[in-house]
């Protein structure tokens, strides 16, 4: 309806070219023009389309600028309200991860399904009020394997420089040659990948190796020719490919800019209406207080035992004799794709100068024993993990001493319970406050 | 057909002489033209301003 009225309006508005230019008759010099533009009284002057369009575009630009600042304000004030959330804007966007990484009072924790079960002392709840001066900002959901972590880290680019980050590893990803492709597809983000490949912070060789990996998952770039084009050109890495990428870079940069704006809008809408957490909303490091960790440990153990008593998980059924599956277990574990992806993550962190801490849960000794995997074979996981982290000078905390602890986990998968979270929280606190001694990096002693 | 069949009460509007309406009212004409372009631009922003960050769904089977 409105368009009809305005369409009518257009019929009656002036043409863009002055009337006297259309006529074939020459206008005599010195004679005032009869064009409406030259009308000194202004009564017959008709507005030009160009001016109205320019005004409308200016209004739109002002609105976009205002919206951007509104979104940024929401992100700054309500960031910690998003900490326990698993929304797309947080996990697959860029704005909230970058905002968390810029804040000195926030420790960003990249994990997986261990972040989901609601158990007492879960890190995000434990540090919600900054009890010791910082808050935890977990990023990840079920199935977040190393390649998913890589894109979440890679999208941050410059924000990672010198920043402490925590990587929580789930050993189950390392126990099969390939992680289910649906896990990466379900955790992938076109925007995060574009930001990573568009960043000048990372080397061409790293981008090439990552692109080659991601091309194995066509669903990730399905329907987005710019991402597919970028991936294929970077993976190939020839001179012609570099030339094409350079030619298309202005368009790609514009595409990323649009994506970032959309991301801010999505983040602001996701946060809109969330309550502001007064203790953590201010942008400054908190002083915090010292906690009675021994008392907390006793509470955590009691809660874990209470959870275990309610659990319906019985003892694992023995399917093989002791040590009969060692060879197969070690062979699968050593060939696991997850090691290559994890190494890419460590390379990325090294290139940015970030300060990572790698935490690994223990293996489930009872489950693996029942499957015929002996302690000697299980130790290979820790050995390979230590070797890789040592190569990139990344501190490692591997809770191998707890693989027979019946209440470290909340179930028979890589989901830690209250007791497990106590250990994680203690390590995070020590890491944030630079108390994690070099002697502690192999494993933490029991209190 | 749609002009008379769907919205008969708006019939006078469709037959309105816009030239007459805007004659001698340059401010009104300018405002209407600005609104016309503003509606187009803002509609485009609303249509394409929001991103889609959804991923292919998957069922995590380890709970």
């Amino acid at each position: 309806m409105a368009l009809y009225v305005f369409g009518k309006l257009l019929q009656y508005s002036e043409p863009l070219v002055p009337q006297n230019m259309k006529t074939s008759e020459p206008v005599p010099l010195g004679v005032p023009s009869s064009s409406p533009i030259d009308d000194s009284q202004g009564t017959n002057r008709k507005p030009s389309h160009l001016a109205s369009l320019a005004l409308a575009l200016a209004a739109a630009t002002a609105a976009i600028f205002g919206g951007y600042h509104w979104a940024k304000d929401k992100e700054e004030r309500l960031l910690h309200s998003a900490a326990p959330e698993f929304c797309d804007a947080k996990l697959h966007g860029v704005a909230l991860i970058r905002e968390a990484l810029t804040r000195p009072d926030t420790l960003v924790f990249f994990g997986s399904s261990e972040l989901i079960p609601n158990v007492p002392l879960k890190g995000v709840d434990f540090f919600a009020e900054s009890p010791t001066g910082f808050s935890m900002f977990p990023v990840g959901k079920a199935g977040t394997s190393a390649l998913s972590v890589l894109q979440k880290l890679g999208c941050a680019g410059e924000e990672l420089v010198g920043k402490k980050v925590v990587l929580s590893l789930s050993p189950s990803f390392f126990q099969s040659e390939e992680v289910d492709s649906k896990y990466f597809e379900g955790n992938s983000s076109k925007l995060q990948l574009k930001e990573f490949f568009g960043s000048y912070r990372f080397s061409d060789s790293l981008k090439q190796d990552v692109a080659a990996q991601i091309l194995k998952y066509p669903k990730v770039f399905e329907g987005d020719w710019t991402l597919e084009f970028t991936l294929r050109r970077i993976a190939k890495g020839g001179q012609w490919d570099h030339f094409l990428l350079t030619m298309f870079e202005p368009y790609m940069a514009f595409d990323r800019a649009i994506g970032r704006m959309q991301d801010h809008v999505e983040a602001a809408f996701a946060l809109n209406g969330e309550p502001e957490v007064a203790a953590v909303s201010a942008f400054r490091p908190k002083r915090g207080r010292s906690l009675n960790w021994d008392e907390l440990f006793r509470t955590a153990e009691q809660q874990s035992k209470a959870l275990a008593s309610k659990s319906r998980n019985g003892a694992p059924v023995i399917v093989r004799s002791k040590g009969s599956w060692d060879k197969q277990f070690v062979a699968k574990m050593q060939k696991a794709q997850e090691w290559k992806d994890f190494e890419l993550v460590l390379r990325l962190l090294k290139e940015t100068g970030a300060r990572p801490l790698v935490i690994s849960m223990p293996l489930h000794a009872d489950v693996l024993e029942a499957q015929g995997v002996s302690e000697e074979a299980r130790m290979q996981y820790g050995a390979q993990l230590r070797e890789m982290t040592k190569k990139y000078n990344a501190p490692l905390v591997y809770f191998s001493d707890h693989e027979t602890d019946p209440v470290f986990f909340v179930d028979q998968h890589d989901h830690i319970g209250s007791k497990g979270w106590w250990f994680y929280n203690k390590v995070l606190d020590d890491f944030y406050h630079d108390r994690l001694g070099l002697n502690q990096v192999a494993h933490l002693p029991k209190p | 057909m749609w002009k008379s069949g769907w919205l008969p009460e708006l019939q006078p509007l469709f037959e309105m002489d816009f030239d007459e309406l805007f004659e001698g009212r340059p401010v009104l004409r300018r405002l209407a033209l600005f609104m016309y372009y503003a509606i187009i631009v803002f509609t485009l922003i609303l249509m394409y301003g929001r991103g889609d960050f959804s991923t292919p769904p998957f069922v995590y089977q380890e709970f």
Side-chain angles (χ1 to χ4, degrees):
Chain A
M1 176 65 222
L3 282 176
Y4 171 78
V5 173
F6 287 121
K8 279 282 190 187
L9 168 70
L10 282 179
Q11 289 176 13
Y12 293 100
S13 59
E14 65 151 351
L16 288 174
V17 182
Q19 285 173 4
N20 61 351
M21 289 180 71
K22 284 184 179 174
T23 176
S24 56
E25 292 174 15
V27 180
L29 285 172
V31 176
S33 166
S34 61
S35 162
I37 293 172
D38 295 334
D39 178 43
S40 57
Q41 299 299 314
T43 48
N44 292 326
R45 186 179 295 171
K46 293 178 182 177
S48 86
H49 287 265
L50 210 57
S52 300
L53 177 61
L55 207 60
L57 286 174
T61 308
I64 290 171
F65 192 69
Y68 170 76
H69 280 275
W70 170 76
K72 281 292 288 177
D73 179 61
K74 287 267 177 214
E75 288 161 19
E76 282 178 17
R77 283 192 301 108
L78 302 174
L79 176 77
H80 287 282
S81 303
E85 302 292 332
F86 296 97
C87 56
D88 283 338
K90 177 189 166 192
L91 299 178
H92 306 137
V94 172
L96 293 176
I97 294 176
R98 281 186 177 162
E99 176 63 29
L101 282 167
T102 57
R103 297 177 65 147
D105 60 350
T106 304
L107 187 59
V108 186
F109 179 102
F110 293 89
S112 185
S113 55
E114 72 273 19
L115 296 168
I116 295 177
N118 282 320
V119 292
L121 287 182
K122 189 162 90 162
V124 67
D125 303 325
F126 183 79
F127 291 111
E129 299 289 330
S130 300
T132 68
F134 74 97
S135 301
M136 173 187 169
F137 190 83
V139 180
K141 64 174 187 190
T144 307
S145 57
L147 206 53
S148 306
V149 172
L150 182 139
Q151 61 169 7
K152 293 178 200 313
L153 283 163
C155 76
E158 290 294 323
E159 313 298 351
L160 273 176
V161 179
K163 185 73 186 177
K164 284 179 180 171
V165 290
V166 180
L167 307 177
S168 170
L169 301 185
S170 296
S172 60
F173 289 143
F174 297 86
Q175 289 171 42
S176 55
E177 288 181 34
E178 296 282 341
V179 178
D180 189 343
S181 62
K182 289 189 180 71
Y183 285 1
F184 178 60
E185 288 160 4
N187 280 287
S188 63
S189 160
K190 292 182 174 84
L191 178 65
Q192 288 176 350
L193 288 172
K194 285 178 188 176
E195 287 292 314
F196 166 68
F197 288 112
S199 171
Y200 293 105
R201 165 56 61 181
F202 307 108
S203 67
D204 287 347
S205 66
L206 176 67
K207 286 182 185 176
Q208 191 173 13
D209 293 344
V210 174
Q213 272 303 104
I214 289 167
L215 281 170
K216 293 178 185 170
Y217 304 90
K219 277 194 176 174
V220 168
F221 48 86
E222 199 173 64
D224 192 323
W225 75 266
T226 55
L227 181 58
E228 186 174 356
F229 174 81
T230 308
L231 287 168
R232 294 201 186 282
R233 298 283 71 79
I234 290 179
K236 218 170 174 189
Q239 280 188 335
W240 174 242
D241 301 293
H242 276 289
F243 172 74
L244 284 176
L245 280 171
T246 310
M247 290 296 290
F248 275 90
E249 178 51 26
Y251 177 77
M252 303 292 186
F254 180 70
D255 184 49
R256 289 198 298 274
I258 298 280
R260 279 198 296 273
M261 289 300 291
Q262 291 176 332
D263 181 33
H264 282 298
V265 171
E266 288 303 311
F269 277 116
L271 293 173
N272 202 18
E274 290 280 349
E276 190 167 344
V277 185
V280 291
S281 58
F283 186 82
R284 62 179 192 279
K286 319 293 184 303
R287 191 171 290 174
R289 56 193 162 88
S290 58
L291 299 173
N292 186 344
W293 287 100
D294 292 340
E295 179 61 34
L296 284 168
F297 180 79
R298 282 188 284 277
T299 311
E301 199 160 41
Q302 281 170 5
Q303 283 165 333
S304 283
K305 282 176 182 168
L307 280 173
S309 65
K310 288 179 196 165
S311 170
R312 279 175 284 177
N313 291 327
V317 180
I318 296 172
V319 291
R320 295 186 195 96
S321 61
K322 189 174 181 180
S324 62
W325 200 249
D326 283 0
K327 206 183 266 182
Q328 290 88 335
F329 173 81
V330 173
K332 264 188 181 181
M333 195 265 296
Q334 286 179 337
K335 281 187 206 162
Q337 179 61 44
E338 189 71 355
W339 289 113
K340 292 170 191 160
D341 296 343
F342 179 53
E343 186 163 14
L344 291 174
V345 172
L346 294 176
R347 275 173 64 188
L348 181 147
L349 290 167
K350 194 176 181 184
E351 286 190 10
T352 55
R355 297 161 64 193
L357 168 69
V358 180
I359 306 181
S360 175
M361 302 169 200
L363 297 166
H364 285 272
D366 54 346
V367 176
L368 289 170
E369 282 284 348
Q371 291 172 0
V373 181
S374 70
E375 187 181 0
E376 197 178 323
R378 296 197 300 271
M379 282 169 68
Q380 291 298 313
Y381 167 72
Q384 197 156 338
L385 189 56
R386 283 188 194 92
E387 192 183 326
M388 184 158 289
T389 49
K390 197 176 172 186
K391 185 176 166 187
Y392 291 92
N393 207 21
L396 166 71
V397 176
Y398 173 39
F399 293 103
S400 56
D401 289 356
H402 294 272
E403 66 170 25
T404 53
D405 188 337
V407 291
F408 191 90
F409 291 97
V410 75
D411 55 25
Q412 292 180 345
H413 303 289
D414 291 341
H415 308 136
I416 52 180
S418 295
K419 191 176 175 184
W421 273 113
W422 181 91
F423 281 98
Y424 268 50
N425 295 341
K426 182 78 174 74
V427 168
L428 296 186
D429 194 46
D430 287 346
F431 177 59
Y432 180 83
H433 293 291
D434 294 321
R435 290 194 300 257
L436 201 62
L438 287 173
N439 296 332
Q440 285 178 285
V441 295
H443 58 83
L444 272 189
K446 289 176 187 175
Chain B
M1 190 277 285
W2 66 273
K3 290 177 192 172
S4 54
W6 288 8
L7 301 165
E9 68 275 17
L10 295 175
Q11 185 77 10
L13 189 62
F14 296 125
E15 290 166 359
M16 191 182 284
D17 186 347
F18 283 89
D19 202 19
E20 191 182 311
L21 177 67
F22 293 122
E23 192 62 49
R25 293 167 172 164
V27 176
L28 183 65
R29 182 187 290 274
R30 202 176 288 274
L31 189 71
L33 207 54
F34 165 73
M35 289 297 291
Y36 171 73
Y37 282 114
I39 285 173
I40 292 174
V41 172
F42 279 91
T43 305
L44 285 170
I45 290 174
L46 285 177
M47 280 170 71
Y48 299 104
R50 298 201 65 173
D52 177 17
F53 298 102
S54 59
T55 57
F58 72 98
V59 180
Y60 181 70
Q61 297 181 334
E62 296 191 357
F63 282 123

